[in-house]
Amino acid sequence: MAPAHGTPPAPLPGKKRRIGVMTSGGDAPGMNGAVRAIVRMSIAKGCEAYGVYEGYEGLVQGGDLIKQMNWEDVRGWLSEGGTLIGTARCKAFTERPGRLRAAKNMVMKGIDALIICGGDGSLTGADIFRAEWPGLIKELVESKELTKEQVEPFKHLNIVGLVGSIDNDMSSTDATIGCYSSLGRICDAVDCIDATAFSHQRAFVIEVMGRHCGWLALMAGVSTGADFIFIPEKPPAESWESDMCDIVAKHRKLGKRKTIVIVAEGAHDFALKKISPSRVKDLLSNRLGLDTRITTLGHVQRGGNACAYDRMLSTLQGVEAVEAVLEATPRTPTPMIAIIENKIVRAPLMEAVKATHEVAHAIEAKDFERAMGLRDAEFAEYHNAYMTTTATDQPQLRLPKEKHMRIAIIHVGAPAGGMNSATRAAVAYCLTRGHTPIAIHNGFSGLCRHHNDKPIGSVREVSWLDVEGWISKGGSEIGTNRVLPSEDLPKTAECFELYKLDAVFFIGGFEAFTSVSELRKARKEYPAFRIPMVILPATISNNVPGTEYSVGSDTCLNALVSYCDAIKQSASASRRRVFVVETQGGRSGYIATIAGLSIGATAVYTPEEGISIKMLARDIEYLRSGFAKDQGQSRAGKLILCNEHASHTYSTEVIANMIREESKGRFESRFAIPGHVQQGGTPSPMDRVRAVRLAVKCVQFLEEYAGQGKEEIVADEMSMAVIGIKGASVVFGPMERLEREETNWKDRRPLQESWLELKSVVDTLSQQKPQQKPQQQQQQQHDYLTWHTLHRYVHAEASMPLCPCVSISHLQIVHEMVHALNLYHTMPSMERTTGVDHDDNVDDSRLMT
């Protein structure tokens, strides 16, 4: 290497850093979201961000492959697949001379921290680089490549790892960036294949990626209801050929018209002999005489846009990675940003890499039990759930007759993706264990009014074939509505006794929660309700107390994100357009906030925060200044998300009209309402697999009460419970405590909502925290904007004849705004500066005076 020309830039003041970001290894959907979050969070924290293009190759080559990145450079990256800063294999970096050049390039750019998104090999290389860093710097000085003065500020290098891998093969985390997007591609393909397989009564053998990890194959099996799966960690028994053929033959005998077998590319038997798709095909064709085809999905699993979950995961992990860099010390072990259940955490990188490599070693040693144990607990749970629900005729799992229960399954509330998946899993598990599953059709109204209809009533025992095809169906196959048991408690109790129900499994949203609350309170009067009951939260609103996740919310987010991507494309094409999109979610802003995080929304309005004049003024001014700076040179389409109940006054249409009025012709404004599109459609893979896992846990929970007397059950506060994901754990919460301590009954949501802190992340990444101006200047700007808007609205209303097409709500809005501003101007100046939002305290009864 030649001596360096030029001087490295001076270190940034304080704890501010120059942070490099790179993607390495195989590309994965969501990597661009991570890069965007790292760049913008770095800038928001006062640091500088540098993109290292083409992975480690860019680090070794330096020059223009290491570039400073600005805020606008990553606009629109959330919706892009692959990695826009590139990735490449780099043999040079595996050797010390290559790492020496990389160190020199980083010093010359002034970079003192590196965030890497890649697989275990890429992250291992990064940790080696960090360990060698002091020696590399010393060597650069000794060889006179750099001077002591040049390297003085760069004695230590901090590295943070993000795992980008579609295989989800890293230990210490439940999900890696890209894995759920890849699973979505597989499910889409299998759902399509499923239709043609059913039509022709064919069998399909589908090969998916996963050389050393069977996560994709396992989750695809769970979420598509496959007849058999092959994964590296848990090879089938030595008699697998006969076992597979027996299961498929039984399914066919029961009336199933199709067969799906999923094979991971690294599948093998107990002797480590590869199990190929062609071998499986020959067995199905020759032994069972099935018309069998092979489909290898290949790289279609890797490409395409990221799903909502991967966008959220990559964004939150990118933000956390920057925080980890700024909090790190020279002695801090290299962290890996992980997620456990619903919680972003930091894990020691090399411990995670070591555990990942140990899985491969255990497989090579044929210690498959240890290989399964080294995967996270969630992996083993999903495998057990799959094995107990894929074939119901398993005598070894059947309970003694005295433990058998009659378990009712009922859907309550609005439909949500995954309801049918949960029902299918519950029915299959019940049958495997010897229970009698009973479906109550059309909720409590169906139970009370139509239970004894002829020829068939609303209370029906369910067979495996009845639900076998429900895994990928949206909505509710047994019907759901918002009717509560309180509409006819005596009849509800009578039906419980008539059908001898031993337990009830509720699947639904806040209405299901309210129903169980009513039944709990009625236990004293009605002995029929003294049975165990459990709720699996299933609602797009994610507003059930006792959980941070509800089945159906991920499906809704995917539908909403796809809708917003199309809208944003239109807004970007015109260069100067803002769309205000109305989201569902009841009085919970979860969907609006997480969707805003996943699409890069300019602003998000939620019921928890409400909407005020000041807020609208701030956001409109931000849009005006943004479009003024842009001057039409970039794709400047913007989106604002507004929850349907964010404000009684400022509707989506009103907000869009106010923005259009204030734009002064610089940009356009439109509003869009996706409506019930957010509820429908095929359930997402995440909602399917979580529905299966949680449904099995719910029935296992109910089983614990088998054989207990009514008084014993009533004495146990856990006999009525909600299953939920809280932080890093799956928990059951007792209804009585949840009702008393965790429920906001007025607004139909939990008292404490864990996602609220994410609103600040949306604001930060949209640059919605402009520098504060002097109070007087800020107030003058606010007053001018507000009065300017009011003048136009009042003028329009005054000149408009009152006809049926004009809503009185328009006049009400104007009067409220005038009254609010009058109140503001009559306040003492000291009160104005307290930050109290007096606009929200306007007495509605005074508005129409």
Side-chain angles (χ1 to χ4, degrees):
M1 288 187 295
H5 295 288
T7 304
L12 297 176
K15 292 186 176 181
K16 297 176 181 179
R17 314 288 289 275
R18 289 188 178 90
I19 301 173
V21 55
M22 60 180 280
T23 53
S24 181
D27 65 297
M31 281 184 164
N32 292 319
V35 174
R36 170 185 177 270
I38 292 164
V39 169
R40 291 196 167 182
M41 193 65 183
S42 297
I43 296 171
K45 290 288 186 178
C47 301
E48 293 179 4
Y50 286 78
V52 181
Y53 286 73
E54 312 306 336
Y56 283 112
E57 184 67 28
L59 209 58
V60 172
Q61 297 296 330
D64 290 339
L65 293 180
I66 304 178
K67 302 176 184 178
Q68 184 173 356
M69 301 189 78
N70 299 313
W71 192 275
E72 294 300 319
D73 293 338
V74 292
R75 174 185 283 174
W77 282 33
L78 265 174
S79 60
E80 297 290 339
T83 166
L84 294 175
I85 60 174
T87 179
R89 296 185 183 277
C90 182
K91 186 177 180 181
F93 192 81
T94 64
E95 300 171 353
R96 187 176 175 85
R99 295 193 290 274
L100 195 65
R101 292 201 300 273
K104 179 181 176 182
N105 289 330
M106 287 183 62
V107 170
M108 294 305 298
K109 293 288 186 179
I111 298 172
D112 51 8
L114 191 60
I115 300 175
I116 300 166
C117 183
D120 62 330
S122 301
L123 298 181
T124 300
D127 194 70
I128 292 172
F129 189 43
R130 181 194 177 185
E132 291 183 348
W133 183 264
L136 295 172
I137 294 298
K138 182 179 179 182
E139 186 174 338
L140 287 169
V141 174
E142 290 175 348
S143 62
K144 298 184 179 180
E145 298 289 333
L146 297 172
T147 66
K148 285 185 179 181
E149 292 74 19
Q150 287 177 321
V151 303
E152 182 62 29
F154 305 101
K155 289 183 176 180
H156 304 288
L157 173 67
N158 287 118
I159 284 180
V160 177
L162 304 180
V163 190
S165 167
I166 67 167
D167 295 330
N168 197 16
D169 54 356
M170 181 67 82
S171 295
S172 304
T173 184
D174 286 347
T176 58
I177 295 171
C179 68
Y180 274 102
S181 297
S182 179
L183 181 60
R185 306 280 181 276
I186 295 170
C187 289
D188 288 344
V190 175
D191 288 347
C192 294
I193 288 170
D194 206 63
T196 189
F198 181 92
S199 301
H200 297 276
Q201 299 192 60
R202 283 183 179 143
F204 275 85
V205 182
I206 300 170
E207 185 180 52
V208 301
M209 287 183 172
R211 194 173 306 155
H212 303 295
C213 179
W215 188 87
L216 283 174
L218 172 59
M219 294 303 177
V222 172
S223 54
T224 63
D227 296 83
F228 211 83
I229 62 171
F230 294 93
I231 61 175
E233 297 90 341
K234 188 79 171 176
E238 294 181 6
S239 59
W240 70 267
E241 295 181 346
S242 298
D243 293 344
M244 181 187 70
C245 290
D246 288 345
I247 288 175
V248 171
K250 285 177 184 177
H251 289 176
R252 290 282 176 158
K253 188 175 181 180
L254 287 169
K256 191 174 180 181
R257 290 175 56 89
K258 56 186 172 58
T259 299
I260 301 292
V261 177
I262 295 178
V263 183
E265 61 180 327
H268 51 75
D269 60 18
F270 261 88
L272 301 184
K273 182 180 179 182
K274 181 175 176 59
I275 296 177
S276 65
S278 57
R279 185 178 175 188
V280 177
K281 172 187 177 295
D282 291 342
L283 279 169
L284 295 175
S285 298
N286 299 332
R287 288 200 187 184
L288 300 179
L290 298 177
D291 181 6
T292 308
R293 308 294 170 89
I294 295 175
T295 298
T296 301
L297 296 181
H299 281 73
V300 71
Q301 300 162 80
R302 189 179 293 280
N305 299 342
C307 66
Y309 180 82
D310 279 329
R311 297 188 194 191
M312 177 191 72
L313 178 65
S314 61
T315 298
L316 295 181
Q317 289 192 341
V319 168
E320 182 67 15
V322 175
E323 297 284 3
V325 164
L326 297 179
E327 294 171 11
T329 68
R331 295 183 180 181
T332 305
T334 301
M336 177 190 82
I337 311 302
I339 185 167
I340 305 297
E341 296 296 355
N342 233 35
K343 187 176 179 63
I344 301 293
V345 298
R346 301 176 194 175
L349 172 62
M350 292 316 296
E351 288 184 18
V353 170
K354 182 180 178 182
T356 302
H357 291 167
E358 285 181 1
V359 175
H361 297 327
I363 292 173
E364 290 174 5
K366 302 180 183 178
D367 190 351
F368 303 115
E369 186 175 344
R370 184 165 181 268
M372 286 293 289
L374 287 168
R375 294 291 183 206
D376 58 84
E378 191 181 66
F379 187 92
E381 279 189 25
Y382 278 119
H383 186 266
N384 291 334
Y386 173 78
M387 296 305 294
T388 54
T389 58
T390 189
T392 58
D393 184 16
Q394 302 183 63
Q396 74 277 11
L397 297 177
R398 199 172 183 84
L399 292 172
K401 192 170 183 180
E402 61 272 16
K403 295 283 188 179
H404 292 179
M405 304 174 74
R406 290 174 59 82
I407 300 177
I409 302 169
I410 184 169
H411 297 178
V412 184
M419 279 183 158
N420 294 318
S421 306
T423 303
R424 176 188 181 275
V427 168
Y429 183 84
C430 284
L431 295 172
T432 300
R433 302 285 278 173
H435 305 306
T436 302
I438 299 166
I440 298 177
H441 290 251
N442 302 318
F444 282 102
S445 59
L447 174 68
C448 295
R449 302 171 196 166
H450 305 288
H451 68 95
N452 59 354
D453 284 2
K454 304 299 180 185
I456 186 169
S458 60
V459 182
R460 309 171 199 168
E461 293 187 9
V462 193
S463 69
W464 180 80
L465 193 62
D466 290 334
V467 300
E468 189 280 324
W470 289 10
I471 189 74
S472 60
K473 289 187 179 243
S476 168
E477 288 295 299
I478 65 174
T480 184
N481 54 56
R482 300 178 186 272
V483 175
L484 301 175
S486 56
E487 291 203 5
D488 197 342
L489 279 172
K491 191 67 177 178
T492 302
E494 178 187 328
C495 290
F496 273 37
E497 290 179 340
L498 177 64
Y499 293 99
K500 300 178 181 178
L501 303 183
D502 297 315
V504 184
F505 177 30
F506 287 80
I507 303 173
F510 201 88
E511 287 81 7
F513 184 84
T514 306
S515 297
V516 176
S517 174
E518 291 179 351
L519 295 175
R520 184 189 66 79
K521 294 172 183 175
R523 273 178 159 180
K524 291 182 180 179
E525 187 176 354
Y526 300 99
F529 301 149
R530 298 170 190 171
I531 58 177
M533 303 181 193
V534 66
I535 305 168
L536 171 55
T539 167
I540 68 169
S541 303
N542 195 24
N543 63 339
V544 178
T547 186
E548 296 171 5
Y549 162 82
S550 296
V551 170
S553 59
D554 187 66
T555 300
C556 173
L557 285 169
N558 279 326
L560 186 57
V561 165
S562 296
Y563 181 92
C564 289
D565 280 349
I567 291 288
K568 198 166 188 177
Q569 189 178 61
S570 170
S572 298
S574 65
R575 295 295 193 271
R576 298 188 169 282
R577 181 170 292 172
V578 179
F579 271 97
V580 184
V581 180
E582 182 176 290
T583 72
Q584 291 189 338
R587 298 190 182 279
S588 168
Y590 173 82
I591 289 297
T593 301
I594 303 302
L597 201 66
S598 302
I599 64 169
T602 298
V604 173
Y605 301 135
T606 64
E608 289 84 355
E609 192 176 29
I611 305 176
S612 68
I613 292 276
K614 292 180 184 178
M615 189 184 299
L616 292 172
R618 178 200 67 191
D619 294 341
I620 291 172
E621 180 58 28
Y622 172 73
L623 289 169
R624 281 167 48 178
S625 62
F627 280 113
K629 291 176 185 176
D630 177 68
Q631 297 181 345
Q633 298 303 309
S634 64
R635 301 178 65 191
K638 298 183 185 297
L639 260 64
I640 292 174
L641 298 187
C642 180
N643 172 277
E644 58 189 340
H645 293 297
S647 171
H648 293 295
T649 302
Y650 306 115
S651 67
T652 305
E653 183 178 1
V654 166
I655 293 171
N657 289 341
M658 290 178 72
I659 293 173
R660 184 172 59 251
E661 288 290 332
E662 288 298 328
S663 69
K664 296 183 177 180
R666 287 187 178 274
F667 54 92
E668 300 175 350
S669 176
R670 301 282 191 275
F671 71 95
I673 303 177
H676 284 72
V677 166
Q678 299 163 79
Q679 286 186 9
T682 303
S684 72
M686 171 173 281
D687 279 334
R688 297 191 209 182
V689 297
R690 283 193 167 178
V692 170
R693 177 190 177 205
L694 297 178
V696 169
K697 278 183 168 289
C698 284
V699 181
Q700 290 172 340
F701 172 84
L702 295 173
E703 280 180 336
E704 295 176 6
Y705 293 90
Q708 292 188 17
K710 290 186 180 295
E711 297 308 316
E712 187 179 0
I713 291 172
V714 170
D716 185 355
E717 69 167 4
M718 289 297 296
S719 62
M720 283 185 162
V722 177
I723 191 173
I725 294 176
K726 281 193 167 185
S729 304
V730 176
V731 296
F732 285 92
M735 277 296 300
E736 195 275 334
R737 180 178 61 78
L738 294 176
E739 294 170 42
R740 184 182 68 253
E741 299 177 5
E742 298 188 24
T743 305
N744 178 344
W745 289 100
K746 176 179 175 290
D747 293 320
R748 293 165 49 87
R749 63 184 185 229
L751 282 173
Q752 302 294 328
E753 296 176 290
S754 62
W755 55 266
L756 281 174
E757 61 190 27
L758 301 181
K759 179 65 167 57
S760 62
V761 178
V762 177
D763 291 340
T764 299
L765 297 185
S766 66
Q767 211 174 18
Q768 272 282 45
K769 290 193 175 180
Q771 292 182 351
Q772 292 294 317
K773 299 181 180 180
Q775 182 69 25
Q776 185 177 5
Q777 182 180 352
Q778 193 175 25
Q779 188 57 56
Q780 289 174 351
Q781 182 183 24
H782 166 73
D783 288 350
Y784 167 76
L785 178 61
T786 305
W787 279 110
H788 185 69
T789 304
L790 287 173
H791 178 267
R792 294 191 178 198
Y793 267 86
V794 173
H795 180 75
E797 295 287 356
S799 61
M800 187 182 300
L802 286 175
C803 64
C805 65
V806 178
S807 171
I808 194 68
S809 63
H810 294 147
L811 292 172
Q812 193 170 354
I813 292 166
V814 175
H815 282 292
E816 179 183 346
M817 293 170 72
V818 171
H819 182 60
L821 199 59
N822 283 337
L823 283 179
Y824 185 85
H825 279 292
T826 58
M827 280 182 233
S829 59
M830 288 298 293
E831 285 187 38
R832 294 189 193 180
T833 60
T834 59
V836 177
D837 190 352
H838 294 275
D839 296 351
D840 289 341
N841 299 324
V842 177
D843 181 0
D844 291 341
S845 64
R846 299 171 58 190
L847 297 180
M848 297 305 293
T849 305

